[in-house]
Amino acid sequence: MRKLVFTLRYPLIIVSIFMLLIAAGCSDSTESSSEPKKDGELDKSVTLRVLEAGGPSGDYMEKGFVEPFTEKTEIKVVRESPTSLGKLQAMVESGQHTYDLVEVSSGNLYQAISGDLIEKLDWEQIKPDPTNEEGQHEYGIGYQYYSTIMAWNPDAAGGKELTSWADFWDVEKFPGKRSLPDYAVFALPIALLADGVPKDQLYPLDIDRAFKSLEKIKKHVSVWWQSGSQPSQLLKDKEVDYSAAWSGRIVENEDNIKYSFNEGLLDLSYLVVPKGAKNISETNAFIHEMTVAENQAKASEVLPYTGPSKELTALLPQDRLEAFPSSDINYEKQTFTDSEWWAEHGTEVEEKWELFKLNLNN
Amino acid sequence: MKKKIKGISYILPPLIIVVISFNIPLFLMLIRSLFSPDFTFEQYVYLVDHPIYLQILANTFKTAIIVSLLCCLLAYPLAHWITLLAGQVKLFVLGIIAMSFLVSILIRTYAWIVILGNNGIVNRTLLEMGLIGSPLQLIYNDLGVTLGTINVLLPFAIFPLYAAMLKIDKRLIKAAYSLGSKPITVFTKIYLPLTLPTLLSSAILVFIMTLGFFITPAILGGGKVQMVATILDTLINRLANWNLASAISTILLMVTIALYIVYRKVGETVK
């Protein structure tokens, strides 16, 4: 009998420890009720938590914005990655305020707005430096321009250069295998541009025409890529001769790969404030720091992407302006993605996209 | 009775953790498919009206069945061969197989590109030998996905089979031979029946793991081989449609459980 009691006691102690741990974990979220403070006054004991894309893009944020901000305000910023819309939604729905800022793509920005997941920004309190129009959104601060551009192997087609998506579609003038993004949001506008739709008349997208255009090229597309690292690998390995690709991955391989920003699909990612977030004054101070042109220029040294400041081009390395997606010489060549349209039609298009791919092998 | 209580108290800590951190969240996730916010079958009706999702689900099952069949066919003779090896060599071979767990799936996936790509070792060799005129398409299709997935999952079939084969009482086989059985009879009457339950459980393990595969199909399929994990990612991270994702997951789970029940039934009749 004594033995039985003993054997029971040990696991029961473990159980109670677990229970205590779980209880502690639950109460953790409710304890952080800081003292009320005046508007604009920064609390240096706060640590801002940012959920971002990670990898080299994390260094972009660290060098460009976190370091100058912490130096100026003594407020610490912790970065975590990778970001996703799923994480933002899970966090807001569970009421756990883990992050003060979350990086989202422009498409996810509108999903987050319609899902009531994020706060409006108080631009009067932020007092931003001048930015492009899309840089100051009602719900987000423009963070990083990126572009989906055409890239090719210099040996392909006897060294002829592509200047438009129509060239990309022209398999007689430019023979060889191709690669396109496995994302409707990029593949469909490209298909329409290739079919002759002027870049300022893309939206609202003519979905049926886009798929008809894709039907023409699909036999020559050997890879529909998912990961942004694929196009440069495919081109270098000569798996394909031509690929649509994200600019940052391509311009760093200039020796092996040629590219053009002509008819590129320009897009801007944002940082947003999750619903119910605290530390608003500190977050706003950080957002202000993100609009400063010098900081954006520092970030662009890490990675050839750009922020939305109006004065940025003058601060970029002048001999490499063609490598940056939103520099003055590239901005006008491209077309801007209408993410509001995508937020509205995403599901419908996505289903047609999957159907299109299901029939690829036939 | 006392014995029962004693057992329960020992498994209670892990049980609580599993229930709180896995079962309850899973249940809450699945239940989302029926509420939005009131009780409704809307998501399931939607799935019937938009057959693309179920087609992709069927595609996933097809790939999973092929992968688990091939894994079993490859692992069975391999595991048997290992049991025949001498001590040191056996350790070495087992070590090689276990070592594959140390390399990340992503790297192993990209390694296939180096071997089977247009400009890979296989195609270059064949081209230089003049056996083919233009590179063969060995990856970026179903074949690539099947190869890459088998490569990752094969050890999950080899190790259980090897353990099951070791446990077979060799005297049974000797007795059969001494009574005049032919090798084929020994295999079908003794060896296979004794290893069949493990073979089936390995198959179901590989099958279930293939269902959730994400990165290998995405890269080696060239975007042409759709798996349900990719669709779920799109629904959750790009379209913020958790309810539909939950309905698809529920169907996936139900079919998997149904298959598991079939497997148990088959396993019982085999025993």
Side-chain angles (χ1 to χ4, degrees):
Chain A
M1 191 56 213
R2 202 188 136 79
K3 206 175 172 189
L4 177 69
V5 172
F6 177 75
T7 52
L8 264 175
R9 195 183 291 152
Y10 168 66
L12 281 178
I13 289 172
I14 298 183
V15 171
S16 22
I17 291 174
F18 277 127
M19 289 304 211
L20 278 174
L21 281 176
I22 289 162
C26 294
S27 65
D28 193 38
S29 60
T30 50
E31 93 191 304
S32 60
S33 57
S34 55
E35 294 167 35
K37 52 185 183 250
K38 276 184 240 158
D39 243 20
E41 193 180 309
L42 299 184
D43 180 355
K44 285 173 187 158
S45 67
V46 163
T47 300
L48 290 181
R49 307 187 82 86
V50 184
L51 180 64
E52 45 90 21
S57 182
D59 301 335
Y60 174 97
M61 179 178 282
E62 185 73 31
K63 289 271 176 247
F65 311 112
V66 172
E67 280 178 9
F69 175 72
T70 306
E71 201 173 300
K72 199 164 147 187
T73 63
E74 294 171 43
I75 296 172
K76 281 202 204 83
V77 180
V78 176
R79 295 182 293 109
E80 281 176 48
S81 64
T83 181
S84 75
L85 181 63
K87 281 187 193 170
L88 173 64
Q89 188 167 355
M91 178 177 91
V92 173
E93 284 187 9
S94 69
Q96 299 277 342
H97 302 299
T98 328
Y99 302 108
D100 299 292
L101 280 166
V102 177
E103 180 181 347
V104 293
S105 69
S106 57
N108 284 353
L109 171 72
Y110 289 96
Q111 298 288 6
I113 294 169
S114 66
D116 200 19
L117 300 178
I118 51 179
E119 300 275 2
K120 276 188 190 171
L121 298 187
D122 183 352
W123 285 108
E124 293 206 351
Q125 204 204 333
I126 294 168
K127 299 189 191 73
D129 284 2
T131 68
N132 294 336
E133 197 191 332
E134 61 270 14
Q136 294 173 33
H137 192 277
E138 199 182 353
Y139 285 87
I141 163 75
Y143 169 50
Q144 210 179 57
Y145 280 105
Y146 66 101
S147 193
T148 311
I149 58 171
M150 59 194 88
W152 62 94
N153 176 349
D155 304 331
K160 266 184 282 181
E161 309 235 324
L162 280 77
T163 56
S164 67
W165 291 111
D167 284 348
F168 195 96
W169 250 241
D170 187 343
V171 292
E172 292 186 356
K173 203 166 147 202
F174 298 94
K177 286 188 181 174
R178 281 133 165 92
S179 173
L180 282 172
D182 185 2
Y183 295 97
V185 64
F186 306 116
L188 262 54
I190 287 175
L192 285 171
L193 290 166
D195 206 38
V197 177
K199 68 183 170 72
D200 51 348
Q201 289 166 33
L202 265 182
Y203 291 93
L205 289 190
D206 184 341
I207 303 169
D208 293 335
R209 184 170 171 186
F211 279 107
K212 264 183 210 139
S213 171
L214 283 168
E215 289 291 335
K216 290 180 203 157
I217 195 76
K218 70 175 189 186
K219 259 192 254 156
H220 305 274
V221 179
S222 62
V223 179
W224 303 83
W225 55 264
Q226 274 270 335
S227 154
S229 62
Q230 279 173 285
S232 52
Q233 171 258 322
L234 291 166
L235 288 167
K236 272 197 227 166
D237 289 354
K238 304 203 164 43
E239 189 69 45
V240 300
D241 289 321
Y242 316 90
S243 182
W246 287 331
S247 60
R249 308 275 189 164
I250 292 299
V251 297
E252 288 178 328
N253 289 304
E254 278 163 311
D255 303 338
N256 303 310
I257 299 171
K258 293 210 152 204
Y259 64 88
S260 164
F261 273 86
N262 260 347
E263 298 186 331
L265 307 179
L266 189 60
D267 206 343
L268 180 60
S269 66
Y270 288 86
L271 288 190
V272 296
V273 178
K275 203 92 193 172
K278 303 178 179 83
N279 310 326
I280 293 294
S281 311
E282 292 75 19
T283 304
N284 281 348
F286 184 72
I287 293 176
H288 170 81
E289 215 54 33
M290 291 185 56
T291 64
V292 175
E294 287 77 14
N295 292 343
Q296 293 180 12
K298 267 183 228 157
S300 296
E301 282 171 24
V302 179
L303 208 63
Y305 288 121
T306 39
S309 168
K310 277 202 153 97
E311 290 131 28
L312 182 60
T313 300
L315 301 174
L316 293 172
Q318 296 300 306
D319 54 331
R320 292 196 65 219
L321 281 184
E322 75 282 352
F324 295 94
S326 71
S327 68
D328 289 347
I329 59 165
N330 282 335
Y331 195 83
E332 294 302 325
K333 285 183 197 165
Q334 304 177 76
T335 167
F336 204 73
T337 302
D338 183 351
S339 296
E340 220 168 343
W341 186 90
W342 278 103
E344 214 171 296
H345 298 86
T347 307
E348 173 200 348
V349 177
E350 205 62 48
E351 282 166 6
K352 289 187 177 163
W353 176 250
E354 295 300 335
L355 198 62
F356 165 74
K357 286 205 303 152
L358 204 62
N359 294 321
L360 273 182
N361 299 323
N362 306 339
Chain B
M1 190 58 204
K2 268 183 192 170
K3 220 176 175 181
K4 250 189 184 168
I5 294 173
K6 193 172 137 193
I8 284 178
S9 71
Y10 268 103
I11 65 156
L12 213 50
L15 188 67
I16 289 177
I17 292 201
V18 169
V19 167
I20 291 181
S21 69
F22 182 72
N23 293 73
I24 293 178
L26 180 72
F27 182 70
L28 291 176
M29 190 67 229
L30 294 180
I31 241 179
R32 283 186 85 114
S33 67
L34 291 171
F35 292 89
S36 80
D38 298 322
F39 184 81
T40 170
F41 282 111
E42 195 186 321
Q43 303 302 335
Y44 294 92
V45 174
Y46 187 91
L47 282 181
V48 174
D49 285 344
H50 298 72
I52 178 70
Y53 298 101
L54 297 181
Q55 279 171 316
I56 290 170
L57 207 55
N59 219 22
T60 312
F61 280 114
K62 191 187 89 187
T63 308
I65 287 170
I66 294 173
V67 166
S68 55
L69 276 179
L70 289 174
C71 266
C72 286
L73 279 178
L74 289 170
Y76 198 86
L78 189 58
H80 176 67
W81 176 70
I82 297 172
T83 61
L84 303 178
L85 296 172
Q88 294 283 334
V89 187
K90 188 190 283 184
L91 264 183
F92 178 70
V93 171
L94 286 174
I96 285 182
I97 297 169
M99 224 162 71
S100 68
F101 287 117
L102 301 179
V103 183
S104 103
I105 290 188
L106 199 62
I107 291 176
R108 275 192 277 167
T109 302
Y110 271 100
W112 281 110
I113 297 177
V114 180
I115 297 170
L116 297 179
N118 252 347
N119 209 22
I121 300 167
V122 172
N123 267 323
R124 270 212 309 258
T125 313
L126 290 176
L127 279 172
E128 272 166 35
M129 287 166 69
L131 291 174
I132 48 173
S134 60
L136 299 174
Q137 192 71 44
L138 300 171
I139 44 174
Y140 307 118
N141 51 22
D142 280 308
L143 180 66
V145 175
T146 312
L147 274 177
T149 315
I150 289 176
N151 172 239
V152 175
L153 294 180
L154 197 57
F156 291 96
I158 294 176
F159 285 121
L161 279 171
Y162 167 71
M165 288 170 180
L166 266 195
K167 270 196 302 188
I168 292 176
D169 191 339
K170 299 289 179 298
R171 286 173 304 179
L172 288 173
I173 294 170
K174 278 183 191 154
Y177 278 124
S178 72
L179 292 171
S181 294
K182 287 179 195 148
I184 183 79
T185 323
V186 175
F187 178 73
T188 53
K189 296 277 184 204
I190 299 172
Y191 206 79
L192 185 63
L194 284 174
T195 48
L196 197 56
T198 312
L199 186 65
L200 285 174
S201 63
S202 304
I204 206 95
L205 180 70
V206 170
F207 178 82
I208 291 172
M209 289 177 84
T210 312
L211 290 181
F213 251 52
F214 185 76
I215 194 71
T216 306
I219 291 178
L220 291 181
K224 294 174 204 157
V225 183
Q226 288 143 301
M227 299 282 279
V228 73
T230 327
I231 289 290
L232 292 177
D233 175 61
T234 305
L235 286 171
I236 290 170
N237 284 327
R238 279 199 278 149
L239 303 173
N241 195 342
W242 285 27
N243 294 345
L244 191 59
S246 153
I248 295 172
S249 308
T250 307
I251 294 176
L252 182 65
L253 186 66
M254 292 302 159
V255 177
T256 311
I257 290 174
L259 286 171
Y260 182 72
I261 290 171
V262 170
Y263 145 74
R264 286 297 294 259
K265 286 269 181 304
V266 173
E268 271 164 28
T269 53
V270 167
K271 275 175 201 162

